[in-house]
Amino acid sequence: MVASAIENADAVIVGCGVAGGLLGGRLARDGFRVIVLEKRPQIGVPVRCGEAAGSRQEISQFIPIDESWIVAEINAARMYAPNLTFVEKRFPGVGVMINRDEFDQALAGQAENWGADVRSHHEVTGLRWRDGRVCGVKVKRHTDKTTYDVDARVTVGADGVESFVGRWANLTGHLRAKEIHTAAEYLLEGEGFPTDTIEIYVGRKISPGGYVWVFPKGDRFANVGVGVHPKMAKNGTARDYLHRFVEGHFPDAKKRRFIAGGVSGTKPLKTMVGDGVLLVGEAGRHNNPFSGGGIMNALEGAEEAHKVLKIGLERDTLDNEFLRRYDKAWHNRNGQVIHRFALLREFFFKLDDDDMNRVVSVLDKIVSARPGKITDYTEVFRAAFKTTPGVLWKARRMLW
Ligand SMILES: Cc1cc2nc3c(=O)[nH]c(=O)nc-3n(C[C@H](O)[C@H](O)[C@H](O)COP(=O)(O)OP(=O)(O)OC[C@H]3O[C@@H](n4cnc5c(N)ncnc54)[C@H](O)[C@@H]3O)c2cc1C
């Protein structure tokens, strides 16, 4: 390997997923010199996602809607209890199913159009430090096995669930087993899939500590996945649970793609910033620890990071103290909700299948009695717990 010269940038962004792609683009649009480094040869590939995203209106705040990466509408959600009774709620237009690889590529394309230098197959292997603050990254270019350094006024870790930037900058540690869900998913082709409804199955036997999802992916296709809590899954890996579910529910479907991955399930970080460095998206633990969903959270996190970095770069003030504005903004926008969902996750681990049957039955009654839009899910869960003896006792930490 031959080390080459040092390059300079205002901001270097590690990872070109949804958070890195959006943030890199927005900073470049402001006129800053931005380098976005992505280790994978092709942005967004392979997909590691169930691909359920927010509404068209929500997404269009970040990137113009392109029908080519939208594959289905989400107008309803249905949750099955272990005894296969269910609760269904219709939410017309609540979300869309996307082709995540094309979506990430579209965000990267938007960033390039705005002037960001997006480089795939360039892996960040370490941070550069000067006087105790982060001042850039070390990079390996996989195409020709050369290395180079980037000196930057600010370094952003948008490197996803396994974030090394967070660890190198001493902001995060290894995710412990109790802090993650392991997940596996097939893209199935066949009959009998929902067309505009996302389906969730819960139960200790089928997905201990997590759930099974069946998400529509257009005509005759669905993403069918399982997330489990690794400590509670005594009957094999997430893939084994997935295999059993698919054999039981869609035995004739053809398996077109398999993916596996981890999803963080933690409370928000105390801080996502250090001197000259900041974490965004799943690197900053932005995803919902209960559902695992993180696409929209990562985009919103990138938006908050952008507001603070724009001012910081203009004033050349990128120390820890200044960047804490981003901690605060994120906490106010989503952090408190994430905290509640983290508690809900802990509570969920305590439920056995009988409890879940009862909760789904009560939720069904509540949802049937409230035809309007439900804006706060914890409110619904609280109502369910209060009307379900026994479950209430297990939920006491969450309610008070
Ligand atoms: C099985 C599964 C199903 C999911 N389903 C859904 C769903 O249906 N809906 C939803 O909203 N969320 C879902 N999620 C979560 C969602 O995918 C994440 O929250 C989201 O991708 C986070 O975006 P991000 O930009 O923070 O990170 P990522 O999208 O993970 O992007 C991080 C990028 O950084 C790159 N990178 C990492 N290290 C380096 C390095 N050293 N140098 C250069 N590049 C690096 C990676 O290659 C990657 O491209 C799912 C996750 C999994 C695992």
Side-chain angles (χ1 to χ4, degrees), residues 116-182:
D117 182 350
V118 180
R119 304 175 185 177
S120 52
H121 229 183
H122 287 229
E123 180 171 0
V124 171
T125 55
L127 296 179
R128 288 168 54 78
W129 295 82
R130 190 176 303 126
D131 302 329
R133 57 166 287 152
V134 176
C135 65
V137 294
K138 300 170 188 297
V139 191
K140 184 170 165 184
R141 181 168 33 214
H142 284 289
T143 42
D144 59 6
K145 308 257 184 289
T146 55
T147 61
Y148 64 98
D149 289 0
V150 178
D151 229 347
R153 293 201 281 151
V154 68
T155 299
V156 175
D159 48 342
V161 63
E162 293 140 13
S163 180
F164 274 92
V165 174
R167 291 186 231 171
W168 292 327
N170 302 316
L171 296 171
T172 53
H174 271 289
L175 278 170
R176 290 169 292 170
K178 67 174 190 175
E179 294 174 325
I180 56 168
H181 280 112
T182 51

Side-chain angles (χ1 to χ4, degrees), residues 9 11 26 34 39 61 76 79 82 88 103 120 136 155 172 218 230 234 244 265 278 284 325 354 365 376-377 394:
R26 291 234 170 144
V34 180
K39 71 178 176 184
Q61 291 165 30
M79 182 161 82
E88 179 171 318
F103 184 68
S120 52
T155 299
T172 53
K234 306 288 181 207
R244 282 191 289 272
L278 168 158
R325 291 179 181 204
D354 287 340
K365 288 192 187 97
D376 182 355
Y377 291 94
K394 292 182 184 178

Side-chain angles (χ1 to χ4, degrees), residues 69-90:
W69 37 255
I70 294 186
V71 286
E73 306 295 324
I74 304 172
N75 292 320
R78 179 183 279 201
M79 182 161 82
Y80 286 92
N83 63 8
L84 294 184
T85 56
F86 63 84
V87 48
E88 179 171 318
K89 177 78 186 151
R90 289 204 69 77

Side-chain angles (χ1 to χ4, degrees), residues 14-20 37-40 48-53 100 104 122-124 158-161 168 183-185 213 215 259 261-263 280-283 287 292-296 298:
V14 185
C16 194
V18 281
L37 300 163
E38 169 55 52
K39 71 178 176 184
R40 296 193 269 181
R48 277 204 201 95
C49 190
E51 304 180 293
R100 179 66 200 273
D104 285 16
H122 287 229
E123 180 171 0
V124 171
D159 48 342
V161 63
W168 292 327
E185 179 191 272
W213 64 88
F215 291 171
I259 59 168
V263 190
V280 68
E282 203 163 355
N287 59 313
I295 298 171
M296 301 312 295

Side-chain angles (χ1 to χ4, degrees), residues 49-50 183-185 199-201 211-215 223-227 245:
C49 190
E185 179 191 272
E199 294 184 345
I200 301 290
Y201 293 73
Y211 61 88
V212 174
W213 64 88
V214 180
F215 291 171
N223 282 339
V224 180
V226 178
F245 181 85

Side-chain angles (χ1 to χ4, degrees), residues 186-255:
Y186 285 125
L187 171 65
L188 295 182
E189 181 180 2
E191 306 293 336
F193 301 128
T195 52
D196 73 342
T197 302
I198 55 170
E199 294 184 345
I200 301 290
Y201 293 73
V202 292
R204 283 279 180 123
K205 284 194 198 69
I206 60 162
S207 53
Y211 61 88
V212 174
W213 64 88
V214 180
F215 291 171
K217 266 216 83 178
D219 192 25
R220 290 174 46 79
F221 285 90
N223 282 339
V224 180
V226 178
V228 298
H229 185 304
K231 292 237 167 196
M232 293 169 72
K234 306 288 181 207
N235 223 345
T237 62
R239 185 177 195 155
D240 297 323
Y241 283 92
L242 173 64
H243 188 71
R244 282 191 289 272
F245 181 85
V246 169
E247 288 306 305
H249 287 75
F250 305 109
D252 300 325
K254 294 194 172 54
K255 302 178 178 82

